[in-house]
Amino acid sequence: MRLSIQPVWIFLYGVVGVVGGPQVVVVGGGPVGLVVACDLAGLGVDVVVVEAEGGVSEWPKATTVHARTAQSLVRRGYLGDSEGGNSPRTGVDRGSVSVGFHFAGIPGLAISGPAGEPGPVLKCDQAELVSGFEKRARALGVTILRGHRAVGVREAEERVRVEMDGPGGRVDLLAEFVVGADGARSLVREAAAFGSRTYPATVSALAGDVRLQETGALVAGWHRTPRGWIVVKELGERRVRLRTLNCAGAYEGRHQPPTLAELHDEVSWIAGRDIGMDEPRWLSRFSDFCRLVESYRKGRILLAGDAAHVHFPIGGQGLSTGLLDAMNLGWKLALTVRGAAGEGLLDSYDRERRPAAQRVIDHTRAQLALMRPDAGLDPLRALFRELMAGASAESGVLASMVSAQDTVVPPWGPDASPWEGRFLENLALDTAEGRTDVIGLLGKGLPLLLLFGEKAEDFEEQARAWAGLLRVVRAEPVQGLPSEALLVRPDGYVGWAAGGGGLATALRAYFGEGEGACGGVAALGAACVLPGAVS
């Protein structure tokens, strides 16, 4: 049965008066797709999320949110209150903190975060993240179609048609834009024929939750042998979560589901002794296959998260990289749909995020090279252990790379201020309305124009045409921040600073001609506090 969009909208979902479908369809209801949907809906865009799974998957997936991702999430109100002020914000630590991490399985890497930011490494199961994001999306009016599998995507007459199979049969949705956030085997990517650069698999790896037949047969931690790696996490009552790495070569049938017997044989072979196990709760297979699409945008179709990039999961950077995609894309696509985007704003998504994904692919491949069980690499591993010791400059470089705190977005023009493209840390600010901070001022999802000093009135006059879009705040000068004015993007990056060309020129580049084009932008609803996010 094939239904057109209008009967589907009125009959199945009770949305009356919507002609031609939503403005944006997001294919994929995981954390990346839901954050894109939340940021779009928060700025007044009609959004539908299409998700094949009928409910939130309880299978263990990603559990790590790295520093720059947590810093960006809290600025969008995902980790606590979004109004700022002096009250403590859930998940935000008011002092600088260092957390021990690893590089290529070598312990000793210290990842630090600035004062006033979330902890530098947040641990939260992906299922909890998805539940929190979905709750927020529904509160913002996002329609989430669970149990609907996208089977086709194609552009048609300045729209994109998404074909999907649902409980009632085949359904077509027409939208102005489609975002593919549907994972490594993305239907959107394949249907729209995105080109990709790929790196073939060279290793095989397994994962699963099992019960060990002998108490203490494996202890928690990272274990390297001459044949590979076993990573063990204790779950209690002899249950463990296992991950293996076999560097002998890629498994020929890597898309076939693994078995308990296969995991047992692999763990026993790597360990060099029999490791009895039973009662598997889940099993999975992965490798070091990598992919990066040639562009994140193809006309009215965009990709985010694993649909755009896949890499070896060392360091837990996949979830964080995808969420940074989402927070870069959401506001840009929203302003484009609302007619308040400058020429080239949406294309800047690819320009800013694809190099970041390439960097993740490169340094995860470098880590895998260090993990290969070749005794000839022992001196190199020892060198890296020394480099990571203490607070050395080399340790800081590696930590900033893994946590994405070294990410700087490219400037828009040749006369950019040195501040442009940098991430603005959470400064305390004294304003006419009282004491607040950067996190509190960005919580509504609008661009922020911070004005300091005597020229504030002049800058405010230059920005008058964009008054319906910008949040303009005058504040007392801040020590260590010499700029008289900063344009802060919703994702926390500085888009312009005084001394780097005219403010009106920058606003026009980002937001078009202004003059109230976005006057009806909706404010975000209440912040969504995520379980497990308290540091």
Side-chain angles (χ1 to χ4, degrees), residues 43-370:
L43 291 175
V45 176
D46 296 324
V47 188
V48 170
V49 174
V50 177
E51 169 55 47
E53 296 291 334
V56 178
S57 172
E58 295 300 324
W59 274 42
K61 296 182 180 179
T63 60
T64 301
V65 177
H66 279 292
R68 179 49 48 83
T69 307
Q71 294 159 9
S72 297
L73 284 169
V74 79
R75 280 156 176 73
R76 299 294 299 107
Y78 288 98
L79 299 182
D81 72 86
S82 60
E83 287 305 313
N86 292 320
S87 61
R89 185 173 287 102
T90 302
V92 176
D93 189 347
R94 293 296 173 180
S96 181
V97 172
S98 291
V99 173
F101 206 67
H102 63 86
F103 186 84
I106 304 170
L109 185 65
I111 298 182
S112 301
E117 301 285 2
V121 180
L122 299 183
K123 290 292 186 178
C124 185
D125 286 341
Q126 183 165 313
E128 297 180 15
L129 293 173
V130 171
S131 295
F133 295 158
E134 183 167 333
K135 180 180 179 181
R136 177 172 179 154
R138 292 187 186 278
L140 289 167
V142 175
T143 299
I144 300 176
L145 305 183
R146 285 197 169 275
H148 289 72
R149 181 180 300 277
V151 296
V153 175
R154 55 189 174 89
E155 287 198 57
E157 299 178 358
E158 297 187 355
R159 293 288 187 273
V160 185
R161 182 181 298 275
V162 179
E163 300 171 346
M164 59 186 181
D165 288 335
R170 178 62 59 86
V171 178
D172 287 1
L173 294 178
L174 282 176
E176 295 179 35
F177 289 91
V178 166
V179 176
D182 50 340
R185 301 180 185 178
S186 169
L187 176 280
V188 176
R189 182 187 65 241
E190 297 305 313
F194 278 79
S196 300
R197 180 184 182 185
T198 60
Y199 306 77
T202 65
V203 302
S204 61
L206 296 170
D209 285 1
V210 298
R211 188 184 74 92
L212 297 178
Q213 293 176 350
E214 179 183 343
T215 301
L218 292 170
V219 298
W222 293 63
H223 308 288
R224 181 171 61 88
T225 81
R227 289 165 294 280
W229 287 78
I230 303 172
V231 183
V232 184
K233 178 181 179 181
E234 294 181 348
L235 303 177
E237 299 180 350
R238 297 214 309 265
R239 297 202 66 84
V240 293
R241 178 164 299 158
L242 299 176
R243 285 171 288 167
T244 68
L245 175 62
N246 183 339
C247 295
Y251 183 71
E252 292 183 2
R254 66 186 182 90
H255 294 306
Q256 297 176 6
T259 64
L260 176 64
E262 184 183 1
L263 180 62
H264 164 266
D265 292 347
E266 188 83 328
V267 171
S268 299
W269 178 74
I270 295 173
R273 55 191 170 85
D274 184 68
I275 305 292
M277 59 186 71
D278 54 29
E279 299 181 11
R281 289 184 178 169
W282 68 277
L283 299 169
S284 181
R285 186 191 310 280
F286 59 99
S287 74
D288 61 330
F289 171 82
C290 300
R291 176 194 291 113
L292 180 62
V293 293
E294 295 173 353
S295 175
Y296 280 23
R297 179 186 181 190
K298 194 171 185 180
R300 294 180 174 271
I301 303 173
L302 302 105
L303 300 178
D306 288 352
H309 46 77
V310 177
H311 57 84
F312 185 62
I314 184 72
Q317 295 169 82
L319 173 62
S320 291
T321 305
L323 288 173
L324 289 173
D325 290 346
M327 288 179 282
N328 187 292
L329 172 61
W331 65 277
K332 294 176 179 178
L333 182 54
L335 296 183
T336 300
V337 171
R338 297 297 302 272
E343 184 179 355
L345 179 65
L346 191 55
D347 286 331
S348 72
Y349 167 57
D350 173 83
R351 185 170 67 248
E352 294 175 359
R353 290 305 304 158
R354 194 156 52 89
Q358 181 68 65
R359 184 164 171 77
V360 173
I361 288 172
D362 290 344
H363 72 71
T364 53
R365 294 179 72 215
Q367 291 184 67
L368 178 59
L370 278 173

Side-chain angles (χ1 to χ4, degrees), residues 498-517:
L503 172 59
T505 300
L507 291 173
R508 192 171 292 109
Y510 273 103
F511 313 121
E513 295 301 322
E515 299 178 359

